[in-house]
Amino acid sequence: MAAPLRIAGVVRRALALCAGMAAGAALAAGAYDCQLPGGSDVLVVGSDIARRFPSIGSACAAASWAPAAEVPPPAWPALPVRVIHARAPRGAPEARRAGATGGGDGGSVAGISRRADALAPLIESAAQRHAVDPHLVRAVIQVESGYAPHARSPKGAIGLMQLMPATAARFGAATEEEILSPAVNVDVGVRYLRFLTDRFGGRTDLVLAAYNAGEGAVIRHGYRVPPYRETLDYVRKVLDLYPAPGG
């Protein structure tokens, strides 16, 4: 009788081990399908943002998934760390792309809200930490929110740099309160710009397109600016406000 008991014990331990491994795999692959307000696409994210950010009004359901293999990016040439300047759209108003009205890198740029001056230390600090041109950060904030720190979009984007909760969580802002903090919002937004800069080889037009439409949209369109009216307008508006180096 001892032998069958030993065998049964081994089987139970094996089953327990398999169950533990399955649970670990489910945890690693666990995700949520979240429908954001405004009819935006369903996102597959790693946390229940409906519970984490209740005021957003999202609806999330648990999902089991495995990330699909990504299309490898093109072999970009070696580029400097700083975000490069893309060519301005034909006919862009040169007056709006002119130099600063104040002195130095912290000065105001034509077309940028005067409220930017109060945020200059935050912008300069985040830009230096993440090696992104502060002029580009100012232009993005102007187009995204007009420097309104509590701005919210119908799609659920929050704050100065209009961060989606899933993106904010991915880059370090764990709560809605953190996303609404100007210091956190700017740091996370600039960190995301840095990530996109590395991913798209420093191509400012692609960085901006990905910031607006998502990384996947740029990749699906062959590493080009997606032909969406909103995205095309967004890229143009930001570049119109982004002063040319030495301009």
Side-chain angles (χ1 to χ4, degrees):
M1 194 67 183
L5 287 176
R6 284 197 300 272
I7 293 172
V10 171
V11 171
R12 282 196 299 272
R13 286 194 295 273
L15 290 174
L17 177 61
C18 290
M21 292 174 64
L27 180 62
Y32 294 86
D33 292 326
C34 296
Q35 179 66 52
L36 299 177
S40 53
D41 293 337
V42 174
L43 302 175
V44 181
V45 295
S47 62
D48 187 345
I49 60 175
R51 178 176 296 178
R52 200 166 186 178
F53 306 101
S55 67
I56 299 301
S58 306
C60 295
S64 179
W65 67 291
E70 293 188 353
V71 177
W76 301 107
L79 291 167
V81 170
R82 181 177 176 275
V83 174
I84 66 170
H85 178 73
R87 183 183 299 277
R90 176 173 287 182
E94 291 302 321
R96 295 178 65 194
R97 298 176 56 79
T101 58
D105 286 342
S108 299
V109 174
I112 302 291
S113 170
R114 283 291 180 182
R115 287 182 287 184
D117 293 341
L119 293 171
L122 294 181
I123 293 171
E124 293 291 335
S125 177
Q128 184 175 12
R129 275 196 305 278
H130 303 299
V132 175
D133 189 344
H135 291 303
L136 181 63
V137 179
R138 292 189 186 94
V140 168
I141 295 175
Q142 179 65 44
V143 175
E144 288 287 354
S145 67
Y147 284 85
H150 293 90
R152 294 175 183 268
S153 78
K155 293 183 178 180
I158 301 175
L160 290 164
M161 298 194 73
Q162 289 292 276
L163 300 173
M164 295 298 290
T167 301
R170 180 180 170 195
F171 288 90
T175 67
E176 184 176 340
E177 182 180 7
E178 289 177 343
I179 301 174
L180 286 170
S181 164
V184 175
N185 191 284
V186 171
D187 183 77
V188 171
V190 176
R191 186 179 300 176
Y192 186 38
L193 286 174
R194 174 74 260 166
F195 169 83
L196 294 174
T197 300
D198 294 336
R199 181 154 199 178
F200 296 111
R203 284 278 305 278
T204 309
D205 54 346
L206 297 187
V207 169
L208 295 174
Y211 194 94
N212 175 261
E215 304 147 45
V218 174
I219 294 170
R220 287 194 302 273
H221 287 86
Y223 288 84
R224 296 181 177 87
V225 176
Y228 310 149
R229 180 179 295 277
E230 176 187 339
T231 302
L232 293 169
D233 287 346
Y234 176 83
V235 172
R236 175 185 57 79
K237 288 176 181 177
V238 174
L239 290 179
D240 283 353
L241 293 173
Y242 182 31

